Amino acid sequence: MLVVLLVGAGLAWSNWQQTGVRETRSLQTLAASLAEGTRVMLDGTRVSMVLIGQQLASVPTHSGPTAEKLLQSYLMLQPDLSAVGVLMASGHIVTTGTRQRFLKDLLSDIDAHTAALHSGLNAAQQAALSHCQRSAGFCLGPPVRDSDPGSSHGIWMIPLFQPTSGMDGKRLLVALLPLINGRLPAWRGLPLPPQSAIFLLRDNGFLMSRYPYSARVHYAQPQQGVVAQHLMNHPDLQSGVFSGVSSAVAAWRLCTVHRIAGYPVVAGVCIPRSVLGAAWWRSMKAPTAGAIALLLLSTFGYGYLRRLGREREKERQQVQQELWEEKERAEVTLHSIGDAVITTDIQGQVLDMNAVAEDLTGYTRAEVVGQPLEAIFRIVQEGGQRNRRTILSGAFWKKTEW
């Protein structure tokens, strides 16, 4: 039973390690695919924004309807975007889309360089938006939230900034990429492990997106989990595997991340401990059943052998009792007959003698037990004028003549 338990414990530990390696490799593959898919989506959006910016370059500042038609045409080709707008060098704003009111307020706040009165941004978000406004190239803004109470989905959005030029000078083209339940549009149809979560995390520790969305997730605050801390300490990290407590859901997670080439963001996948436990248990069902069978067999075998041992011991005690009784009967017979009787073993050592033998030899029974027979009773060969039997008694000889 002890051997079975030790072997079972070793097998369980080995399977746990193998399960961890297998699940980690699967997550790394998924994170790499997620990063590549997100990169393709962002690159495509960036190129399309550059093209629409070139078309808007010839549109004068005062020609709002023309700019709006161009933006509407662009939005029809980019159905994943919820709104798109342009901030002219003069401060004039043109927007279109389902979230154009929110986008207009956002661009107004950015242009005014003031605290966000309409969009509800905190200082960190406002600083990140200002950084994107000054950026010389394509820039991913921080997630912003549309506080419209009538919104049923897409409340959180990622603003995408593309600087361009126009007849009046530098312009800023902005598109809003919605997060549906924390998911980017490019993630639709992506096969995910059960109970897993996929996310985008910036190098500064801010969460860009997380699917499925959790009420504990707040995109406007830096994360404090093991992945975010390691990423902030190693901004050049290309990929990695981490296990620890995720601040997004305040629970233990096994996570893998992969950098999205060309962007200060990593894509990651996390699974809870329960998924590892379930995968481990699936691999341990057959060995556990075998171990239980061996334990039961060992238990029944031990019980059978113990019962058999008790029966053998009982038989042995019974045989010993019978031998003792036979010995007692033999001794009674020995001491009851009238002839002198001395009994020895096969080596000639005295085992017993009766009272008649004690009288004839001059020895007591206690003195002769274990002594050689020749020292107690010697037979002399017949010869000469007389026959005689010499018996040694103590320190002197007793002679009985025939």
Side-chain angles (χ1 to χ4, degrees), residues 247-299:
S247 61
V249 292
W252 188 94
R253 290 288 190 271
L254 172 65
C255 301
T256 62
V257 296
H258 196 90
R259 179 164 296 281
I260 300 176
Y263 301 94
V265 183
V266 296
V269 186
C270 291
I271 57 174
R273 189 192 302 266
S274 59
V275 173
L276 285 177
W280 170 80
W281 176 242
R282 286 194 299 270
S283 66
M284 282 296 297
K285 282 184 178 180
T288 301
I292 292 175
L294 287 176
L295 287 174
L296 292 176
L297 182 61
S298 301
T299 302

Side-chain angles (χ1 to χ4, degrees), residues 336-392:
S336 299
I337 62 178
D339 295 330
V341 179
I342 300 175
T343 60
T344 67
D345 57 16
I346 60 176
Q347 283 80 27
Q349 304 293 323
V350 176
L351 296 177
D352 200 0
M353 64 190 303
N354 62 4
V356 178
E358 288 180 343
D359 292 339
L360 289 178
T361 61
Y363 288 98
T364 64
R365 178 179 178 277
E367 292 175 333
V368 300
V369 171
Q371 298 294 327
L373 178 62
E374 290 80 3
I376 307 301
F377 178 76
R378 291 192 298 175
I379 300 176
V380 180
Q381 184 177 2
E382 181 179 10
Q385 299 178 354
R386 54 184 178 179
N387 300 328
R388 57 185 180 179
R389 178 181 294 169
T390 304
I391 303 173
L392 180 63

Side-chain angles (χ1 to χ4, degrees), residues 110 113 123-142 161-163 170 172 202 204 264:
I110 294 175
H113 297 282
Q125 290 171 303
Q126 186 71 24
L129 290 174
S130 298
H131 169 76
C132 284
Q133 182 190 17
R134 297 188 300 270
S135 176
F138 183 77
C139 181
L140 284 174
F161 294 81
Q162 176 61 50
K170 183 179 178 181
L172 185 63
R202 297 183 72 98
N204 58 6

Side-chain angles (χ1 to χ4, degrees), residues 291-311:
I292 292 175
L294 287 176
L295 287 174
L296 292 176
L297 182 61
S298 301
T299 302
F300 289 127
Y302 172 75
Y304 171 74
L305 293 176
R306 186 175 181 182
R307 183 173 64 254
L308 183 61
R310 287 198 299 264
E311 292 176 355

